[in-house]
Amino acid sequence: MPTPKMVARPKPPVAAPRPTETAPAPAPTGEPWGRVEEDGTVSVREGDEWRVVGQYPDGTTDEALAYFERKFADLVSEVTLLEVRHHSGGASASDLRATAKLVRDKITGAAAVGDLASLEARVAALTEELSVATQAESAAAREAVDEAVKARTALVEKAEALAARDPRSVQWKQASVDMTELFDAWQAQQKTGPRLPKAAGQQLWKRFRDARATVDKHRREFYAELDEAHKGVRERKAKLVERAEALAPKGEDGIAAYRELLDQWKTAGRAGKKADDALWARFKAAGDALYSARGEREAVEAEESREKIVQKRALLVEAKAVADEPEIAKARQLLTSIQRQWDEIGRIFPRDAERTLDDDLRKVENALRTREETDWKRNNPETKARANDMTRQLTDAIEKLEAELAAAKKSGDASKIAQATDALEARKGWLRALGG
């Protein structure tokens, strides 16, 4: 029998709540749960029999019983803690069930004084509850695993769909983002989700890994081909840049050739954003130099044209007299003089200003031309002859119609009067139009 040491009495665990009772409940018969022999041997009553639990020779009977009753109280605390943890739902039923088995093993044959049978019954009841809860947990765990398998399978199928696409039609920037998101989702499920069965988990991961590897392979191949294509475009555009820069000594005269190079640039293709931007900056600078030379020349010409513009505007003021001159021959002489001075002044820059001034003079020219054409038609001998012949015909017709109208009026025939009147008025109108 082990002999307890009085100098270091064991204390209950800190985490275990101390039960409110400090001593075991009395037996139903009124008999105590423990007894102490004269030699300090302590026994616990189990049913109708007594079982020795230890010896406490260096103390009183009360001290001996109190020591082993505290042992029992510690066991009660462990059982109570298990019950509290189970009912609070903060721990896994399977874990609590394993702990309950350890506690039950401690109670069986425990060196403690108290109602061990009742305590064993509490543990048995708790174990039964935990068994039912464990089954429910197992069912929930299986359902969670099934859902996790479905979720992982969905990720795998999306990855495989990306891998199955034609690499030439894929927008690889977005595809890379999509695959990264799928991989992040896979890692998140693996970290926070339930553990999958080994076979299923390995199979799904192999499919996902293979799809991801295929996408990476296609992406590398695509960009390798693109780099090769960009290399050829870079070479072509670099040659265009060199040719454009070589036009600089020609100044404005090189603009036509530069435009041809620009047409070739537009059909050369893409060389990658960074390379394109750098090459275009050089190509554009070469063109800007040519157009700058033309701009400088136009600025000089515009400055020189200021006085010419003033002179031509003054001629336009003189040209207003052309329309006011009644004699067409004098009007033509005046306009011819103005046109001669206009040509002597010379070209004007910018071209828009010249076109505006030319349009104003052209209006004067067109107005005089219209007057001349009208006068010519009026004084043309052939035209006059035709007009005279038509006048005679109309005069004869009018005389005949007047006779017919007079006859109709005598007869009183209203219909003939109306017809003769209408015909007569029509011929008179024609005659007036001919100036008769």
Side-chain angles (χ1 to χ4, degrees):
M1 289 286 179
T3 302
K5 296 181 180 180
M6 299 299 293
V7 295
R9 295 182 180 180
K11 297 180 180 179
V14 175
R18 172 69 64 182
T20 55
E21 65 274 17
T22 58
T29 58
E31 296 180 2
W33 290 108
R35 68 184 181 186
V36 181
E37 305 294 338
E38 292 181 359
D39 61 354
T41 300
V42 180
S43 301
V44 62
R45 185 167 56 82
E46 294 179 334
D48 295 332
E49 297 180 355
W50 292 88
R51 176 175 61 84
V52 175
V53 295
Q55 195 173 33
Y56 199 96
D58 297 331
T60 64
T61 299
D62 292 339
E63 289 175 341
L65 284 175
Y67 173 77
F68 287 99
E69 285 172 351
R70 283 195 299 273
K71 294 281 191 178
F72 177 78
D74 290 340
L75 293 174
V76 172
S77 296
E78 290 191 48
V79 174
T80 301
L81 179 60
L82 277 175
E83 291 171 337
V84 170
R85 291 178 65 191
H86 170 54
H87 293 132
S88 65
S92 167
S94 60
D95 293 341
L96 292 179
R97 188 179 180 190
T99 305
K101 182 179 182 305
L102 295 176
V103 173
R104 183 185 60 193
D105 293 341
K106 288 183 181 180
I107 295 173
T108 301
V113 172
D115 190 356
L116 294 172
S118 175
L119 196 57
E120 285 183 345
R122 285 174 62 185
V123 173
L126 178 60
T127 301
E128 183 64 24
E129 291 181 13
L130 291 173
S131 177
V132 174
T134 299
Q135 294 177 3
E137 282 184 353
S138 298
R142 287 192 297 271
E143 183 177 354
V145 168
D146 292 341
E147 292 298 323
V149 170
K150 291 180 181 179
R152 299 277 183 92
T153 302
L155 293 178
V156 169
E157 290 173 350
K158 289 180 180 179
E160 290 174 339
L162 284 175
R165 294 172 62 184
D166 184 354
R168 294 168 297 181
S169 64
V170 174
Q171 295 291 332
W172 283 108
K173 184 175 182 180
Q174 183 60 46
S176 298
V177 172
D178 294 341
M179 181 54 73
T180 299
E181 290 177 352
L182 290 176
F183 183 66
D184 291 343
W186 179 282
Q187 288 185 313
Q189 290 185 18
Q190 190 174 29
K191 182 178 181 180
T192 61
R195 183 183 296 276
L196 302 188
K198 184 176 181 180
Q202 289 180 343
Q203 182 184 18
L204 288 172
W205 169 244
K206 182 179 183 302
R207 289 173 59 190
F208 186 87
R209 181 191 61 201
D210 291 346
R212 188 165 174 241
T214 299
V215 171
D216 289 341
K217 177 176 176 288
H218 288 168
R219 183 177 61 249
R220 289 193 301 271
E221 291 174 348
F222 172 81
Y223 282 112
E225 293 176 2
L226 188 63
D227 287 342
E228 187 63 26
H230 283 173
K231 180 181 179 181
V233 175
R234 284 196 300 270
E235 292 175 353
R236 289 194 296 274
K237 287 191 171 181
K239 292 179 180 178
L240 291 175
V241 169
E242 293 174 357
R243 292 170 61 186
E245 291 174 338
L247 295 173
K250 295 184 178 182
E252 182 180 0
D253 294 337
I255 290 179
Y258 178 79
R259 287 176 176 170
E260 293 179 0
L261 295 177
L262 180 60
D263 291 338
Q264 296 178 43
W265 179 281
K266 292 177 181 178
T267 60
R270 298 286 298 172
K273 181 173 176 27
K274 187 175 181 180
D276 263 335
D277 290 345
L279 289 169
W280 172 249
R282 290 176 57 192
F283 188 83
K284 184 176 182 300
D288 289 344
L290 302 179
Y291 284 102
S292 176
R294 186 173 72 175
E296 293 174 359
R297 189 262 304 165
E298 290 178 345
V300 172
E301 290 178 341
E303 182 64 27
E304 294 175 349
S305 296
R306 288 187 179 183
E307 181 61 28
K308 294 180 180 180
I309 292 173
V310 173
Q311 294 173 2
K312 287 194 174 184
R313 285 176 178 171
L315 289 176
L316 287 174
V317 174
E318 293 182 21
K320 291 180 180 179
V322 173
D324 298 334
E325 175 57 52
E327 294 186 21
I328 295 178
K330 291 183 178 180
R332 170 53 66 184
Q333 291 177 358
L334 177 59
L335 179 58
T336 300
S337 174
I338 292 173
Q339 290 173 330
R340 186 179 303 110
Q341 296 176 64
W342 190 279
D343 293 338
E344 289 175 354
I345 292 173
R347 302 296 303 275
I348 287 178
F349 300 94
R351 300 300 189 196
D352 290 343
E354 184 179 56
R355 280 193 294 269
T356 300
L357 293 170
D358 287 345
D359 289 343
D360 290 341
L361 181 61
R362 194 170 295 111
K363 291 176 183 178
V364 177
E365 294 172 343
N366 291 338
L368 180 58
R369 186 177 299 109
T370 300
R371 287 177 61 191
E372 289 174 334
E373 290 175 354
T374 302
D375 182 70
W376 182 84
K377 291 178 180 178
R378 184 181 296 114
N379 296 314
N380 186 2
E382 293 181 2
T383 303
K384 284 184 177 183
R386 286 194 297 271
N388 290 336
D389 183 60
M390 181 63 70
T391 300
R392 283 195 303 271
Q393 292 179 16
L394 289 173
T395 301
D396 293 342
I398 289 171
E399 290 177 356
K400 183 179 178 180
L401 288 171
E402 286 177 343
E404 291 178 359
L405 178 59
K409 287 181 179 180
K410 287 181 180 181
S411 65
D413 189 334
S415 176
K416 290 183 178 181
I417 293 172
Q419 291 178 0
T421 301
D422 291 342
L424 181 60
E425 291 299 325
R427 269 56 175 189
K428 287 181 178 181
W430 295 347
L431 184 60
R432 286 193 296 270
L434 291 174

